[in-house]
Amino acid sequence: MSDSTATPSARPDPLERRALIVLVDGDADWRASAAGALRGHGYDVVACGSLKEVPREALRQDISRAADLLVVDAALADVATRRAAVGEDQPASFGDCPVLILAGARDDDAIERALEADAADFFIRSTHWQLLVERVRRLCHMADMKRELLASHDRLARAHTSARVGTFDFDLGSRTFHGSTGSFSILGFDSPRTAISADEFLRLVPRDRHEALFSATDHAIRADVPFALELPLRKVGGDWMTVRVEAEPRRNSNGRIAMLRGVIRDMTESVRAERDMERLISADPLTGLPNRNRFLALCTEAVAEARRHGRQVAVVAIDLDRFTQINESLGQVAGDEAICAIAERLAGELARLAGSGQCRGDGRPGGGPGSEAAARAEAVLARLPGDEFAVLVPMVLDLWHVDAMVDALLRDLGRPLTIAGTECFVTACAGIALYPRDGDTAGLLLAHADSALADAKLRGSRSFRWYAPAPNVDARARLKMLSGLHKAIERGELSLSYQPCVDVVHGTLIGVEALARWRHHGMVVPPTEFIPLAEQSGLIVQIGEWAIREASRQIRTWRDQGLRVPKVSVNISTLHFEKPSLAETVRDAIVEHRLEPGMLEIELTESCMVRDFSRTLGALHALRDLGVVLSLDDFGTGYSSLSYLTRLPIGKLKVDRSFVRLLGVSAEGEAVVRAIIALGRSLRLQVVAEGVEDVAQARALLGMKCHAMQGFLLAHPVAASQLPEEMARIAERARLASDRTAPARRARIGSAYHGVVQ
Ligand code: C2E
Ligand code: MG
Ligand code: MG
């Protein structure tokens, strides 16, 4: 018989829910007194003489009115099977409900059996009600905590599944992969699994990657260090995917490494976005040839390879003579057709020369198609903007062969071409630069090849020249500028201009970028001129330190004036990241000017990754640990691989303005920007578009859901003193733009910016 005051039924407000105790004891008097004592302490109690009388609902864990604690006579409970004969016929499970055993003073055996079978605690039946209540309170509290833990575990698992991340433990003894729901969903298991054998896991990994996986895990275990590995995987359903596995060895209680614990992350979307982007940003859409970006990247690789082996690399710039005449007389479409025909002709001639070994620059027969050495050594043709092409000769043993190659290319171009039914004659000139003689970076080699090309142009069509530095004039001017730059900081000639970055949808200021200006002899030297010089001379480190201090001082001044500038970003050169002092400079500036670290942002470029990556990574982590935001500038112009990108602790990515400029110009351009934005999103970074100059670009970006923009359309860089005015203008625009009742006023403002948000 059940003497209950609490009928198990769902309660509307879980916050008001009192703990429900099911009390089962054959002694009716004791039961009634115990129930009274518990009720007196705020518990709901269902008291029964036997388990059969317990209402089934009270033991069902899936309803809110389930018991929080079962207090049961040791003689009545079959704790070992965690089942109770409930109701008329079938037994019901009391599964996870904690059990407090009631026992007599001499029931040692029953107590021991019950505890072994997982009862939570015992109470020697007595009238010490305070003691009973305390024990019940403790067990209810523990049950609450366990429920909370399970709920947060469940929340975490759901978050992981939606972020395509899972956790796992790989047990080295049993060679079993124990994974979270997220892990198994990534691996494509439909039915719920919690563990699979190592062999089952390996069946998903292509055979040729087993070795990489074994050696990474073996090394991690032997050296007791974490490891990270990107792997292609064939999901259970057969689809291919890319995952990143990060794990570290864990020791058991004996101190031996017993498992690898880690996370598995689905990288498929990011890898796809990167591949699309790489394809789009590395090829010229008209001819399909590598574009300038790709050419520079290949050239950088060739220079690095040549440096290792003490070899030479040639860069040839080719420019068509009077090509504008074709465009003007036959039209743009015919001009495009001509560019394609010329590209084909150059590629054909290079292939012919490769067959004879000539365009490898060493004059020896080629290594045959498919040979890796030949592939690396063969010349690469690229299309630069306009009517310019470039050829990279990665391995030059004899300069004479480069001469012969260029001569052959120019001569072959001279053959008549039929464009739009008209026979045309195209001629070209070329300039050549050589690594290491004429420069040691891709950019410099191409610039010097261009300057040799300009020289060749002066000598008439079909001529070509090797780069020859202009005697000293250039060098002297540079030296003068450098000595001026050395004194610029102490003379106070450097200053920072600030360009706002705006959330165009809400019209809010996201932050400002600090851009260096040098006032020298009454003229403003643009950063594009003095920053490269400062980089070459190493002076850029001092300039970077000055910029951090100056920007921090300015933030404090604005703060003191009551101006809320959300964030100021400072550009830091690649070289500077290799100096251990960088984080210190930032920390000192933050402390000196009492800034919250989130107010300072550091912009770095992709070239950081090409240099000493591990050192750069260390510097970036040190900065991030200070709370400074890191942003990857000019994104897309460098050559960052996804595996580097994912390891950078960056929070923001700035799409270079050379891509933004393509918006509205070509479908390919649009696809490039879309791919960059998708990549940024898949890496969960904030994406900012740089160099937004017109409404069409801004609209296109909004269509791609890129709301953060920087560019002349929104605001030019201004002196610190003008920023309050600029901010007021941005705020006013936002107010007017959101004021839907004042179209006339909006139109009066006539700002292009309104055209964007309307
Ligand atoms: P950045 O970091 O990409 O800065 C943006 C540049 O784009 C700035 O040029 C800015 O004036 C310009 N810009 C902004 N909106 C537009 C637009 O709509 N159209 C066009 N055409 N340009 C726009 P700026 O100030 O000449 O700086 C050029 C580069 O010099 C910067 O590019 C940055 O790489 C470097 N730089 C500037 N200040 C510093 C500095 O303090 N330290 C270092 N290491 N580099 C700096
Ligand atoms: Mg920048
Ligand atoms: Mg930039």
Side-chain angles (χ1 to χ4, degrees), residues 422-457:
T422 309
E423 192 172 71
C424 312
F425 289 88
V426 176
T427 58
C429 290
I432 316 166
L434 190 72
Y435 165 83
R437 189 188 67 189
D438 303 331
D440 60 357
T441 64
L444 203 57
L445 287 168
L446 191 58
H448 285 166
D450 263 337
S451 112
L453 172 67
D455 195 9
K457 287 256 177 195

mmCIF file of all heavy atoms in Angstrom, residues 422-457:
data_model
loop_
_atom_site.group_PDB
_atom_site.id
_atom_site.type_symbol
_atom_site.label_atom_id
_atom_site.label_comp_id
_atom_site.label_asym_id
_atom_site.label_seq_id
_atom_site.Cartn_x
_atom_site.Cartn_y
_atom_site.Cartn_z
ATOM 1 N N THR A 422 41.125 38.560 -89.815
ATOM 2 C CA THR A 422 42.122 39.519 -90.322
ATOM 3 C C THR A 422 43.521 39.029 -90.004
ATOM 4 O O THR A 422 43.771 38.552 -88.891
ATOM 5 C CB THR A 422 41.925 40.895 -89.635
ATOM 6 O OG1 THR A 422 40.562 41.244 -89.759
ATOM 7 C CG2 THR A 422 42.821 41.958 -90.219
ATOM 8 N N GLU A 423 44.407 39.133 -90.958
ATOM 9 C CA GLU A 423 45.789 38.705 -90.694
ATOM 10 C C GLU A 423 46.522 39.806 -89.933
ATOM 11 O O GLU A 423 46.494 40.971 -90.342
ATOM 12 C CB GLU A 423 46.492 38.406 -92.008
ATOM 13 C CG GLU A 423 47.805 37.690 -91.791
ATOM 14 C CD GLU A 423 48.418 37.204 -93.090
ATOM 15 O OE1 GLU A 423 48.876 38.062 -93.869
ATOM 16 O OE2 GLU A 423 48.438 35.975 -93.318
ATOM 17 N N CYS A 424 47.110 39.444 -88.810
ATOM 18 C CA CYS A 424 47.820 40.450 -87.998
ATOM 19 C C CYS A 424 49.269 40.017 -87.805
ATOM 20 O O CYS A 424 49.579 38.829 -87.812
ATOM 21 C CB CYS A 424 47.228 40.566 -86.601
ATOM 22 S SG CYS A 424 45.484 40.713 -86.553
ATOM 23 N N PHE A 425 50.079 41.020 -87.597
ATOM 24 C CA PHE A 425 51.472 40.723 -87.251
ATOM 25 C C PHE A 425 51.731 41.247 -85.853
ATOM 26 O O PHE A 425 51.490 42.415 -85.569
ATOM 27 C CB PHE A 425 52.421 41.385 -88.263
ATOM 28 C CG PHE A 425 52.374 40.711 -89.589
ATOM 29 C CD1 PHE A 425 51.446 41.110 -90.549
ATOM 30 C CD2 PHE A 425 53.228 39.654 -89.879
ATOM 31 C CE1 PHE A 425 51.369 40.477 -91.770
ATOM 32 C CE2 PHE A 425 53.153 39.010 -91.103
ATOM 33 C CZ PHE A 425 52.219 39.424 -92.062
ATOM 34 N N VAL A 426 52.146 40.344 -84.992
ATOM 35 C CA VAL A 426 52.402 40.752 -83.609
ATOM 36 C C VAL A 426 53.890 40.597 -83.340
ATOM 37 O O VAL A 426 54.489 39.580 -83.693
ATOM 38 C CB VAL A 426 51.617 39.853 -82.626
ATOM 39 C CG1 VAL A 426 51.954 40.205 -81.193
ATOM 40 C CG2 VAL A 426 50.140 39.966 -82.867
ATOM 41 N N THR A 427 54.467 41.614 -82.772
ATOM 42 C CA THR A 427 55.866 41.468 -82.340
ATOM 43 C C THR A 427 55.925 41.755 -80.844
ATOM 44 O O THR A 427 54.979 42.287 -80.271
ATOM 45 C CB THR A 427 56.798 42.453 -83.084
ATOM 46 O OG1 THR A 427 56.308 43.762 -82.833
ATOM 47 C CG2 THR A 427 56.852 42.156 -84.567
ATOM 48 N N ALA A 428 57.048 41.395 -80.263
ATOM 49 C CA ALA A 428 57.179 41.594 -78.813
ATOM 50 C C ALA A 428 58.624 41.874 -78.446
ATOM 51 O O ALA A 428 59.532 41.643 -79.245
ATOM 52 C CB ALA A 428 56.699 40.347 -78.083
ATOM 53 N N CYS A 429 58.814 42.392 -77.233
ATOM 54 C CA CYS A 429 60.160 42.580 -76.677
ATOM 55 C C CYS A 429 60.246 41.813 -75.375
ATOM 56 O O CYS A 429 59.201 41.452 -74.800
ATOM 57 C CB CYS A 429 60.409 44.053 -76.379
ATOM 58 S SG CYS A 429 60.582 45.049 -77.859
ATOM 59 N N ALA A 430 61.448 41.571 -74.908
ATOM 60 C CA ALA A 430 61.588 40.820 -73.654
ATOM 61 C C ALA A 430 62.714 41.379 -72.805
ATOM 62 O O ALA A 430 63.646 41.999 -73.316
ATOM 63 C CB ALA A 430 61.856 39.352 -73.962
ATOM 64 N N GLY A 431 62.567 41.185 -71.485
ATOM 65 C CA GLY A 431 63.633 41.556 -70.552
ATOM 66 C C GLY A 431 63.912 40.353 -69.659
ATOM 67 O O GLY A 431 62.989 39.599 -69.338
ATOM 68 N N ILE A 432 65.165 40.168 -69.280
ATOM 69 C CA ILE A 432 65.524 38.969 -68.516
ATOM 70 C C ILE A 432 66.267 39.370 -67.239
ATOM 71 O O ILE A 432 67.147 40.244 -67.276
ATOM 72 C CB ILE A 432 66.453 38.024 -69.330
ATOM 73 C CG1 ILE A 432 65.946 37.889 -70.762
ATOM 74 C CG2 ILE A 432 66.581 36.654 -68.661
ATOM 75 C CD1 ILE A 432 66.957 37.263 -71.713
ATOM 76 N N ALA A 433 65.906 38.717 -66.127
ATOM 77 C CA ALA A 433 66.668 38.909 -64.882
ATOM 78 C C ALA A 433 67.080 37.538 -64.369
ATOM 79 O O ALA A 433 66.393 36.541 -64.611
ATOM 80 C CB ALA A 433 65.817 39.628 -63.848
ATOM 81 N N LEU A 434 68.205 37.509 -63.669
ATOM 82 C CA LEU A 434 68.775 36.230 -63.261
ATOM 83 C C LEU A 434 68.975 36.179 -61.753
ATOM 84 O O LEU A 434 69.530 37.114 -61.159
ATOM 85 C CB LEU A 434 70.139 36.084 -63.958
ATOM 86 C CG LEU A 434 70.804 34.712 -63.850
ATOM 87 C CD1 LEU A 434 70.067 33.703 -64.719
ATOM 88 C CD2 LEU A 434 72.274 34.799 -64.266
ATOM 89 N N TYR A 435 68.511 35.061 -61.169
ATOM 90 C CA TYR A 435 68.843 34.823 -59.750
ATOM 91 C C TYR A 435 70.172 34.083 -59.712
ATOM 92 O O TYR A 435 70.347 33.149 -60.486
ATOM 93 C CB TYR A 435 67.768 33.949 -59.071
ATOM 94 C CG TYR A 435 68.255 33.401 -57.741
ATOM 95 C CD1 TYR A 435 68.179 34.180 -56.587
ATOM 96 C CD2 TYR A 435 68.856 32.127 -57.656
ATOM 97 C CE1 TYR A 435 68.670 33.706 -55.385
ATOM 98 C CE2 TYR A 435 69.343 31.653 -56.446
ATOM 99 C CZ TYR A 435 69.252 32.446 -55.326
ATOM 100 O OH TYR A 435 69.742 31.990 -54.127
ATOM 101 N N PRO A 436 71.104 34.336 -58.887
ATOM 102 C CA PRO A 436 71.083 35.323 -57.810
ATOM 103 C C PRO A 436 71.632 36.697 -58.213
ATOM 104 O O PRO A 436 71.553 37.638 -57.446
ATOM 105 C CB PRO A 436 72.008 34.695 -56.758
ATOM 106 C CG PRO A 436 72.983 33.901 -57.555
ATOM 107 C CD PRO A 436 72.264 33.451 -58.795
ATOM 108 N N ARG A 437 72.132 36.794 -59.443
ATOM 109 C CA ARG A 437 72.865 38.009 -59.824
ATOM 110 C C ARG A 437 72.013 39.283 -59.702
ATOM 111 O O ARG A 437 72.469 40.301 -59.186
ATOM 112 C CB ARG A 437 73.362 37.840 -61.266
ATOM 113 C CG ARG A 437 74.313 38.907 -61.735
ATOM 114 C CD ARG A 437 74.596 38.778 -63.212
ATOM 115 N NE ARG A 437 73.387 39.075 -64.006
ATOM 116 C CZ ARG A 437 73.315 38.858 -65.319
ATOM 117 N NH1 ARG A 437 74.330 38.310 -65.955
ATOM 118 N NH2 ARG A 437 72.211 39.161 -65.966
ATOM 119 N N ASP A 438 70.744 39.192 -60.166
ATOM 120 C CA ASP A 438 69.944 40.418 -60.261
ATOM 121 C C ASP A 438 68.912 40.576 -59.152
ATOM 122 O O ASP A 438 68.148 41.546 -59.140
ATOM 123 C CB ASP A 438 69.212 40.460 -61.612
ATOM 124 C CG ASP A 438 70.179 40.366 -62.785
ATOM 125 O OD1 ASP A 438 71.333 40.815 -62.614
ATOM 126 O OD2 ASP A 438 69.793 39.844 -63.829
ATOM 127 N N GLY A 439 68.849 39.648 -58.264
ATOM 128 C CA GLY A 439 67.859 39.766 -57.183
ATOM 129 C C GLY A 439 67.632 38.407 -56.543
ATOM 130 O O GLY A 439 67.923 37.383 -57.170
ATOM 131 N N ASP A 440 67.151 38.430 -55.312
ATOM 132 C CA ASP A 440 66.972 37.135 -54.645
ATOM 133 C C ASP A 440 65.521 36.885 -54.212
ATOM 134 O O ASP A 440 65.264 35.997 -53.420
ATOM 135 C CB ASP A 440 67.921 36.999 -53.447
ATOM 136 C CG ASP A 440 67.661 38.085 -52.420
ATOM 137 O OD1 ASP A 440 66.800 38.946 -52.676
ATOM 138 O OD2 ASP A 440 68.320 38.064 -51.358
ATOM 139 N N THR A 441 64.597 37.705 -54.722
ATOM 140 C CA THR A 441 63.194 37.396 -54.455
ATOM 141 C C THR A 441 62.446 37.431 -55.783
ATOM 142 O O THR A 441 62.889 38.086 -56.745
ATOM 143 C CB THR A 441 62.529 38.434 -53.529
ATOM 144 O OG1 THR A 441 62.529 39.695 -54.209
ATOM 145 C CG2 THR A 441 63.227 38.569 -52.198
ATOM 146 N N ALA A 442 61.323 36.727 -55.797
ATOM 147 C CA ALA A 442 60.536 36.648 -57.026
ATOM 148 C C ALA A 442 60.123 38.043 -57.484
ATOM 149 O O ALA A 442 60.233 38.379 -58.667
ATOM 150 C CB ALA A 442 59.310 35.781 -56.785
ATOM 151 N N GLY A 443 59.662 38.860 -56.511
ATOM 152 C CA GLY A 443 59.176 40.196 -56.856
ATOM 153 C C GLY A 443 60.276 41.035 -57.492
ATOM 154 O O GLY A 443 60.056 41.720 -58.490
ATOM 155 N N LEU A 444 61.464 40.958 -56.893
ATOM 156 C CA LEU A 444 62.576 41.757 -57.391
ATOM 157 C C LEU A 444 63.002 41.282 -58.782
ATOM 158 O O LEU A 444 63.281 42.092 -59.678
ATOM 159 C CB LEU A 444 63.735 41.631 -56.390
ATOM 160 C CG LEU A 444 64.756 42.747 -56.399
ATOM 161 C CD1 LEU A 444 64.073 44.081 -56.143
ATOM 162 C CD2 LEU A 444 65.829 42.492 -55.325
ATOM 163 N N LEU A 445 63.009 39.966 -58.959
ATOM 164 C CA LEU A 445 63.431 39.432 -60.262
ATOM 165 C C LEU A 445 62.463 39.883 -61.352
ATOM 166 O O LEU A 445 62.884 40.307 -62.432
ATOM 167 C CB LEU A 445 63.500 37.900 -60.207
ATOM 168 C CG LEU A 445 64.687 37.348 -59.412
ATOM 169 C CD1 LEU A 445 64.528 35.859 -59.169
ATOM 170 C CD2 LEU A 445 66.005 37.624 -60.147
ATOM 171 N N LEU A 446 61.154 39.831 -61.024
ATOM 172 C CA LEU A 446 60.177 40.235 -62.031
ATOM 173 C C LEU A 446 60.292 41.740 -62.293
ATOM 174 O O LEU A 446 60.215 42.181 -63.443
ATOM 175 C CB LEU A 446 58.760 39.861 -61.566
ATOM 176 C CG LEU A 446 57.685 39.991 -62.629
ATOM 177 C CD1 LEU A 446 57.998 39.132 -63.853
ATOM 178 C CD2 LEU A 446 56.316 39.573 -62.072
ATOM 179 N N ALA A 447 60.511 42.504 -61.224
ATOM 180 C CA ALA A 447 60.645 43.957 -61.409
ATOM 181 C C ALA A 447 61.867 44.253 -62.279
ATOM 182 O O ALA A 447 61.825 45.125 -63.169
ATOM 183 C CB ALA A 447 60.778 44.639 -60.052
ATOM 184 N N HIS A 448 62.945 43.526 -62.048
ATOM 185 C CA HIS A 448 64.156 43.775 -62.833
ATOM 186 C C HIS A 448 64.000 43.282 -64.271
ATOM 187 O O HIS A 448 64.520 43.896 -65.209
ATOM 188 C CB HIS A 448 65.360 43.144 -62.146
ATOM 189 C CG HIS A 448 65.791 43.937 -60.944
ATOM 190 N ND1 HIS A 448 66.656 43.460 -59.997
ATOM 191 C CD2 HIS A 448 65.460 45.188 -60.543
ATOM 192 C CE1 HIS A 448 66.827 44.389 -59.056
ATOM 193 N NE2 HIS A 448 66.102 45.440 -59.374
ATOM 194 N N ALA A 449 63.264 42.184 -64.449
ATOM 195 C CA ALA A 449 62.996 41.722 -65.820
ATOM 196 C C ALA A 449 62.168 42.791 -66.541
ATOM 197 O O ALA A 449 62.390 43.083 -67.717
ATOM 198 C CB ALA A 449 62.257 40.388 -65.791
ATOM 199 N N ASP A 450 61.234 43.409 -65.806
ATOM 200 C CA ASP A 450 60.398 44.478 -66.380
ATOM 201 C C ASP A 450 61.237 45.686 -66.753
ATOM 202 O O ASP A 450 61.018 46.308 -67.801
ATOM 203 C CB ASP A 450 59.334 44.912 -65.354
ATOM 204 C CG ASP A 450 58.019 44.214 -65.604
ATOM 205 O OD1 ASP A 450 57.798 43.772 -66.748
ATOM 206 O OD2 ASP A 450 57.228 44.075 -64.646
ATOM 207 N N SER A 451 62.188 46.005 -65.879
ATOM 208 C CA SER A 451 62.987 47.186 -66.186
ATOM 209 C C SER A 451 63.906 46.898 -67.388
ATOM 210 O O SER A 451 64.129 47.770 -68.240
ATOM 211 C CB SER A 451 63.710 47.681 -64.931
ATOM 212 O OG SER A 451 65.080 47.513 -65.027
ATOM 213 N N ALA A 452 64.368 45.649 -67.516
ATOM 214 C CA ALA A 452 65.156 45.284 -68.708
ATOM 215 C C ALA A 452 64.264 45.326 -69.950
ATOM 216 O O ALA A 452 64.699 45.719 -71.041
ATOM 217 C CB ALA A 452 65.738 43.879 -68.520
ATOM 218 N N LEU A 453 62.995 44.965 -69.756
ATOM 219 C CA LEU A 453 62.033 44.990 -70.865
ATOM 220 C C LEU A 453 61.842 46.426 -71.372
ATOM 221 O O LEU A 453 61.821 46.679 -72.577
ATOM 222 C CB LEU A 453 60.703 44.398 -70.378
ATOM 223 C CG LEU A 453 59.508 44.497 -71.300
ATOM 224 C CD1 LEU A 453 59.714 43.634 -72.540
ATOM 225 C CD2 LEU A 453 58.243 44.027 -70.580
ATOM 226 N N ALA A 454 61.728 47.357 -70.409
ATOM 227 C CA ALA A 454 61.555 48.756 -70.793
ATOM 228 C C ALA A 454 62.756 49.212 -71.616
ATOM 229 O O ALA A 454 62.618 49.932 -72.619
ATOM 230 C CB ALA A 454 61.393 49.610 -69.537
ATOM 231 N N ASP A 455 63.922 48.756 -71.212
ATOM 232 C CA ASP A 455 65.150 49.079 -71.923
ATOM 233 C C ASP A 455 65.095 48.509 -73.354
ATOM 234 O O ASP A 455 65.429 49.182 -74.330
ATOM 235 C CB ASP A 455 66.309 48.462 -71.116
ATOM 236 C CG ASP A 455 67.645 49.016 -71.541
ATOM 237 O OD1 ASP A 455 67.644 49.989 -72.315
ATOM 238 O OD2 ASP A 455 68.674 48.454 -71.093
ATOM 239 N N ALA A 456 64.607 47.245 -73.429
ATOM 240 C CA ALA A 456 64.528 46.590 -74.743
ATOM 241 C C ALA A 456 63.565 47.344 -75.663
ATOM 242 O O ALA A 456 63.833 47.508 -76.853
ATOM 243 C CB ALA A 456 64.077 45.139 -74.573
ATOM 244 N N LYS A 457 62.463 47.815 -75.080
ATOM 245 C CA LYS A 457 61.452 48.522 -75.883
ATOM 246 C C LYS A 457 62.063 49.742 -76.579
ATOM 247 O O LYS A 457 61.691 50.090 -77.692
ATOM 248 C CB LYS A 457 60.298 48.984 -74.986
ATOM 249 C CG LYS A 457 59.403 47.853 -74.537
ATOM 250 C CD LYS A 457 58.106 47.849 -75.319
ATOM 251 C CE LYS A 457 57.263 46.666 -74.910
ATOM 252 N NZ LYS A 457 56.193 46.384 -75.822
#
